[in-house]
Amino acid sequence: MSYDLDDEPAKLPPPAFDLTPSVPSSPAGRSKAQSAFKKTGWLGVLPVLLLLLKLGSASKILLPLVSFFATIWFYTKLVPGGAFWMVFGLFFMIFLHECGHALAARRFGMKYEGMIFTPLGGMVFHRFGNTNVVQDAYVGIMGPVTGGLCAVVATLIAHLTGQRFFFGLGALCFAVNLANLAPGGPLDGGWIGAVFYRKLSPRFDSIRAQGVSESYYCATQTDKVKYGFAWGGLALFLLLGAGWCKYAPAWFLD
């Protein structure tokens, strides 16, 4: 019996980041889940929907839930090849990022009105109270702070498990939160930057129309120093984190 080396298929190099975590398959578990779904069909989803409706209004519960999975479905169709878990991990981080905003806003009496996810990211809506530019800056920066902590968790899991997937997820989370610190538009950096330059505020037009500019833009020199260090330090931390996740696999896994 002969074996021709020329018949051996060429081996492709491994990807920089795996799109799916290395989890052992469980055919038995999948067959049970599939069997249960076949028996109940979409009727099995009704108790969950009724519970969500009982917990809150559609805008506060159903809209975030539906838009979350719709966005994940969109990206998995756009980027085929096992990208589901990467996209799910990213948007779960964005969900926690928005929760950071919502909890910070609650501290100043801003009522939560709902959340929505789109292919461009997530947005949380709350009813503005009698806040000033410094308080709005605090609400703005708490999103990237929470998202940065999520990226740190993904990086720690990557080091503990040795899976490239989590390094890729961590790098993506660091980069997304870093981009959110850019001083413009509805990005979080706009809320923070308004402490230094009022026209950066997403509320600039409405504040001017209400005629409360003097009371709203009340940042002191101490506030500017504090948020300057927080803004720059957080941006540097996120940048270093993204770089670490990009190059760490070559140092620790290869």
PDB file of all heavy atoms in Angstrom, residues 68-81:
ATOM      1  N   PHE A  68     -31.886  43.868  19.989  1.00  0.00           N
ATOM      2  CA  PHE A  68     -30.617  43.205  20.326  1.00  0.00           C
ATOM      3  C   PHE A  68     -30.399  41.989  19.434  1.00  0.00           C
ATOM      4  O   PHE A  68     -29.374  41.863  18.754  1.00  0.00           O
ATOM      5  CB  PHE A  68     -30.640  42.799  21.803  1.00  0.00           C
ATOM      6  CG  PHE A  68     -29.405  42.085  22.275  1.00  0.00           C
ATOM      7  CD1 PHE A  68     -28.284  42.795  22.678  1.00  0.00           C
ATOM      8  CD2 PHE A  68     -29.364  40.701  22.326  1.00  0.00           C
ATOM      9  CE1 PHE A  68     -27.139  42.140  23.120  1.00  0.00           C
ATOM     10  CE2 PHE A  68     -28.231  40.030  22.769  1.00  0.00           C
ATOM     11  CZ  PHE A  68     -27.116  40.756  23.168  1.00  0.00           C
ATOM     12  N   PHE A  69     -31.386  41.087  19.394  1.00  0.00           N
ATOM     13  CA  PHE A  69     -31.221  39.862  18.607  1.00  0.00           C
ATOM     14  C   PHE A  69     -31.358  40.123  17.109  1.00  0.00           C
ATOM     15  O   PHE A  69     -30.743  39.418  16.302  1.00  0.00           O
ATOM     16  CB  PHE A  69     -32.212  38.803  19.076  1.00  0.00           C
ATOM     17  CG  PHE A  69     -31.828  38.174  20.378  1.00  0.00           C
ATOM     18  CD1 PHE A  69     -32.471  38.521  21.557  1.00  0.00           C
ATOM     19  CD2 PHE A  69     -30.796  37.248  20.439  1.00  0.00           C
ATOM     20  CE1 PHE A  69     -32.101  37.952  22.766  1.00  0.00           C
ATOM     21  CE2 PHE A  69     -30.422  36.674  21.644  1.00  0.00           C
ATOM     22  CZ  PHE A  69     -31.077  37.025  22.807  1.00  0.00           C
ATOM     23  N   ALA A  70     -32.119  41.138  16.722  1.00  0.00           N
ATOM     24  CA  ALA A  70     -32.222  41.485  15.306  1.00  0.00           C
ATOM     25  C   ALA A  70     -30.881  41.983  14.783  1.00  0.00           C
ATOM     26  O   ALA A  70     -30.468  41.650  13.658  1.00  0.00           O
ATOM     27  CB  ALA A  70     -33.301  42.543  15.094  1.00  0.00           C
ATOM     28  N   THR A  71     -30.186  42.758  15.593  1.00  0.00           N
ATOM     29  CA  THR A  71     -28.872  43.267  15.177  1.00  0.00           C
ATOM     30  C   THR A  71     -27.858  42.139  15.084  1.00  0.00           C
ATOM     31  O   THR A  71     -27.043  42.088  14.155  1.00  0.00           O
ATOM     32  CB  THR A  71     -28.388  44.334  16.177  1.00  0.00           C
ATOM     33  OG1 THR A  71     -29.370  45.371  16.271  1.00  0.00           O
ATOM     34  CG2 THR A  71     -27.072  44.932  15.718  1.00  0.00           C
ATOM     35  N   ILE A  72     -27.899  41.215  16.045  1.00  0.00           N
ATOM     36  CA  ILE A  72     -26.995  40.066  15.996  1.00  0.00           C
ATOM     37  C   ILE A  72     -27.276  39.228  14.751  1.00  0.00           C
ATOM     38  O   ILE A  72     -26.354  38.786  14.058  1.00  0.00           O
ATOM     39  CB  ILE A  72     -27.139  39.222  17.276  1.00  0.00           C
ATOM     40  CG1 ILE A  72     -26.616  40.008  18.481  1.00  0.00           C
ATOM     41  CG2 ILE A  72     -26.382  37.903  17.146  1.00  0.00           C
ATOM     42  CD1 ILE A  72     -26.830  39.313  19.790  1.00  0.00           C
ATOM     43  N   TRP A  73     -28.565  39.001  14.462  1.00  0.00           N
ATOM     44  CA  TRP A  73     -28.931  38.244  13.258  1.00  0.00           C
ATOM     45  C   TRP A  73     -28.405  38.941  12.014  1.00  0.00           C
ATOM     46  O   TRP A  73     -27.893  38.293  11.099  1.00  0.00           O
ATOM     47  CB  TRP A  73     -30.451  38.117  13.180  1.00  0.00           C
ATOM     48  CG  TRP A  73     -30.941  37.467  11.924  1.00  0.00           C
ATOM     49  CD1 TRP A  73     -31.072  36.132  11.675  1.00  0.00           C
ATOM     50  CD2 TRP A  73     -31.343  38.138  10.717  1.00  0.00           C
ATOM     51  NE1 TRP A  73     -31.538  35.929  10.396  1.00  0.00           N
ATOM     52  CE2 TRP A  73     -31.709  37.130   9.782  1.00  0.00           C
ATOM     53  CE3 TRP A  73     -31.435  39.463  10.345  1.00  0.00           C
ATOM     54  CZ2 TRP A  73     -32.151  37.439   8.498  1.00  0.00           C
ATOM     55  CZ3 TRP A  73     -31.873  39.772   9.066  1.00  0.00           C
ATOM     56  CH2 TRP A  73     -32.232  38.767   8.155  1.00  0.00           C
ATOM     57  N   PHE A  74     -28.510  40.267  11.947  1.00  0.00           N
ATOM     58  CA  PHE A  74     -28.038  41.033  10.790  1.00  0.00           C
ATOM     59  C   PHE A  74     -26.544  40.813  10.576  1.00  0.00           C
ATOM     60  O   PHE A  74     -26.099  40.555   9.452  1.00  0.00           O
ATOM     61  CB  PHE A  74     -28.329  42.520  11.006  1.00  0.00           C
ATOM     62  CG  PHE A  74     -27.685  43.417   9.987  1.00  0.00           C
ATOM     63  CD1 PHE A  74     -28.246  43.599   8.737  1.00  0.00           C
ATOM     64  CD2 PHE A  74     -26.507  44.100  10.291  1.00  0.00           C
ATOM     65  CE1 PHE A  74     -27.650  44.421   7.800  1.00  0.00           C
ATOM     66  CE2 PHE A  74     -25.900  44.923   9.365  1.00  0.00           C
ATOM     67  CZ  PHE A  74     -26.478  45.086   8.115  1.00  0.00           C
ATOM     68  N   TYR A  75     -25.769  40.901  11.647  1.00  0.00           N
ATOM     69  CA  TYR A  75     -24.316  40.768  11.500  1.00  0.00           C
ATOM     70  C   TYR A  75     -23.887  39.338  11.191  1.00  0.00           C
ATOM     71  O   TYR A  75     -22.919  39.119  10.462  1.00  0.00           O
ATOM     72  CB  TYR A  75     -23.600  41.281  12.748  1.00  0.00           C
ATOM     73  CG  TYR A  75     -23.316  42.759  12.693  1.00  0.00           C
ATOM     74  CD1 TYR A  75     -23.944  43.640  13.562  1.00  0.00           C
ATOM     75  CD2 TYR A  75     -22.423  43.279  11.761  1.00  0.00           C
ATOM     76  CE1 TYR A  75     -23.690  45.004  13.512  1.00  0.00           C
ATOM     77  CE2 TYR A  75     -22.158  44.636  11.700  1.00  0.00           C
ATOM     78  CZ  TYR A  75     -22.790  45.498  12.577  1.00  0.00           C
ATOM     79  OH  TYR A  75     -22.538  46.839  12.514  1.00  0.00           O
ATOM     80  N   THR A  76     -24.583  38.356  11.756  1.00  0.00           N
ATOM     81  CA  THR A  76     -24.218  36.969  11.452  1.00  0.00           C
ATOM     82  C   THR A  76     -24.536  36.624  10.004  1.00  0.00           C
ATOM     83  O   THR A  76     -23.884  35.769   9.408  1.00  0.00           O
ATOM     84  CB  THR A  76     -24.942  35.996  12.394  1.00  0.00           C
ATOM     85  OG1 THR A  76     -26.352  36.273  12.392  1.00  0.00           O
ATOM     86  CG2 THR A  76     -24.418  36.112  13.803  1.00  0.00           C
ATOM     87  N   LYS A  77     -25.543  37.281   9.420  1.00  0.00           N
ATOM     88  CA  LYS A  77     -25.827  37.094   7.999  1.00  0.00           C
ATOM     89  C   LYS A  77     -24.825  37.851   7.137  1.00  0.00           C
ATOM     90  O   LYS A  77     -24.433  37.402   6.058  1.00  0.00           O
ATOM     91  CB  LYS A  77     -27.244  37.574   7.675  1.00  0.00           C
ATOM     92  CG  LYS A  77     -28.344  36.705   8.252  1.00  0.00           C
ATOM     93  CD  LYS A  77     -28.310  35.303   7.655  1.00  0.00           C
ATOM     94  CE  LYS A  77     -29.452  34.451   8.197  1.00  0.00           C
ATOM     95  NZ  LYS A  77     -29.429  33.076   7.619  1.00  0.00           N
ATOM     96  N   LEU A  78     -24.391  39.015   7.639  1.00  0.00           N
ATOM     97  CA  LEU A  78     -23.440  39.838   6.893  1.00  0.00           C
ATOM     98  C   LEU A  78     -22.044  39.237   6.930  1.00  0.00           C
ATOM     99  O   LEU A  78     -21.307  39.291   5.937  1.00  0.00           O
ATOM    100  CB  LEU A  78     -23.411  41.250   7.482  1.00  0.00           C
ATOM    101  CG  LEU A  78     -22.586  42.294   6.736  1.00  0.00           C
ATOM    102  CD1 LEU A  78     -23.207  42.587   5.372  1.00  0.00           C
ATOM    103  CD2 LEU A  78     -22.482  43.575   7.565  1.00  0.00           C
ATOM    104  N   VAL A  79     -21.676  38.655   8.074  1.00  0.00           N
ATOM    105  CA  VAL A  79     -20.341  38.063   8.235  1.00  0.00           C
ATOM    106  C   VAL A  79     -20.525  36.589   8.581  1.00  0.00           C
ATOM    107  O   VAL A  79     -20.524  36.224   9.760  1.00  0.00           O
ATOM    108  CB  VAL A  79     -19.545  38.779   9.340  1.00  0.00           C
ATOM    109  CG1 VAL A  79     -18.114  38.250   9.390  1.00  0.00           C
ATOM    110  CG2 VAL A  79     -19.566  40.280   9.146  1.00  0.00           C
ATOM    111  N   PRO A  80     -20.721  35.722   7.591  1.00  0.00           N
ATOM    112  CA  PRO A  80     -20.939  34.294   7.874  1.00  0.00           C
ATOM    113  C   PRO A  80     -19.646  33.620   8.333  1.00  0.00           C
ATOM    114  O   PRO A  80     -18.577  34.208   8.307  1.00  0.00           O
ATOM    115  CB  PRO A  80     -21.397  33.747   6.516  1.00  0.00           C
ATOM    116  CG  PRO A  80     -20.759  34.655   5.519  1.00  0.00           C
ATOM    117  CD  PRO A  80     -20.736  36.020   6.156  1.00  0.00           C
ATOM    118  N   GLY A  81     -19.778  32.384   8.750  1.00  0.00           N
ATOM    119  CA  GLY A  81     -18.593  31.627   9.131  1.00  0.00           C
ATOM    120  C   GLY A  81     -18.371  31.550  10.620  1.00  0.00           C
ATOM    121  O   GLY A  81     -17.243  31.612  11.102  1.00  0.00           O
TER     122      GLY A  81
END
